[in-house]
Amino acid sequence: LEELKDDQRAAYQIQRRLLPAVDQTLGDIRFEYSLTPSLIVSGDFVDVIALDEQRTLFYLADVSGHGASSALITILLKNITGRLLRNFRRSSSYDVLSPRKTLERINSEVLTLGLDKHLTMFVGLLDHSENELTYAVGGHHPLPIYWSADNVCHLSGKGMAVGLFPNARFDENVLKLEDSFSLFLFSDGILDLMSQTSI
């Protein structure tokens, strides 16, 4: 049992190194997160990727199940988005500039490996100069909450879970951002912490 725990702790250290800084500012946007595994390693994963001075890609993923097998998918996810970023910087592919295409690529690669795992995702692309958010939803629930001085709402958007269907469809949406705003993303783990009986 101790040996298994040591393996889990070692896996957690690897997973932790793949995560972005807990609190960072890119352009004029501050990104922060809290990740609390139900066991030692987590099937939830977040990332924040500065594509260039104007654009930042970010996502929240929730892999089905718990423990090491789900955590391994988060490492695969980091690898896929890393390749999309390298392709963009080499000008060989611009898929990373589209949250919908990013989800399609991840869906295709997870299916190809036949891992019997799926995940839900929210992928956002911030354009700092246009003050605009382009995003796509891959079966993720609950949807993010957008807050500004004039507006509080759940973002709209539909899409299938990632890694289940070869022809999965994901909507791409665009939101004009106000000068001051907050966007709150959660995995379904938040539902275990809520005392209310409904969202």
Side-chain angles (χ1 to χ4, degrees), residues 47-81:
D47 208 354
V48 177
I49 304 165
L51 302 181
D52 52 30
E53 290 184 2
Q54 181 181 333
R55 291 166 292 206
T56 302
L57 182 81
F58 65 97
Y59 62 85
L60 168 64
D62 182 359
V63 182
S64 61
H66 298 285
S69 62
S70 297
L72 285 170
I73 302 297
T74 68
I75 295 170
L76 171 67
L77 186 58
K78 180 75 174 184
N79 180 270
I80 295 169
T81 55

Side-chain angles (χ1 to χ4, degrees), residues 25-43:
T25 301
L26 296 171
D28 54 353
I29 306 291
R30 181 178 176 190
F31 296 86
E32 56 183 317
Y33 70 91
S34 174
L35 186 62
T36 307
S38 59
L39 299 169
I40 296 174
V41 291
S42 179

Side-chain angles (χ1 to χ4, degrees), residues 58-198:
F58 65 97
Y59 62 85
L60 168 64
D62 182 359
V63 182
S64 61
H66 298 285
S69 62
S70 297
L72 285 170
I73 302 297
T74 68
I75 295 170
L76 171 67
L77 186 58
K78 180 75 174 184
N79 180 270
I80 295 169
T81 55
R83 275 188 282 123
L84 288 173
L85 176 62
R86 286 192 298 277
N87 291 343
F88 167 68
R89 291 191 171 152
R90 290 196 295 247
S91 300
S92 63
S93 165
Y94 298 97
D95 285 352
V96 78
L97 296 180
S98 164
R100 178 181 55 79
K101 287 182 180 176
T102 298
L103 283 175
E104 288 172 351
R105 286 286 296 271
I106 295 167
N107 185 66
S108 172
E109 297 212 24
V110 171
L111 280 169
T112 299
L113 292 170
L115 300 172
D116 196 30
K117 281 281 184 184
H118 67 277
L119 56 152
T120 67
M121 290 186 72
F122 177 90
V123 180
L125 179 71
L126 277 166
D127 187 316
H128 299 270
S129 62
E130 296 293 328
N131 214 26
E132 200 169 73
L133 171 68
T134 304
Y135 67 91
V137 180
H140 195 75
H141 178 77
L143 287 169
I145 297 170
Y146 176 79
W147 173 92
S148 71
D150 301 321
N151 190 16
V152 177
C153 64
H154 281 101
L155 296 190
S156 60
K158 293 181 180 177
M160 300 175 178
V162 179
L164 284 177
F165 306 106
N167 298 312
R169 303 184 89 162
F170 310 103
D171 292 344
E172 194 165 84
N173 304 274
V174 178
L175 176 67
K176 194 70 179 171
L177 301 168
E178 290 163 78
D179 290 336
S180 179
F181 73 92
S182 293
L183 184 64
F184 301 94
L185 284 72
F186 311 94
S187 75
D188 60 7
I190 194 72
L191 304 176
D192 297 329
L193 303 176
M194 292 172 58
S195 57
Q196 296 89 339
T197 55
S198 71

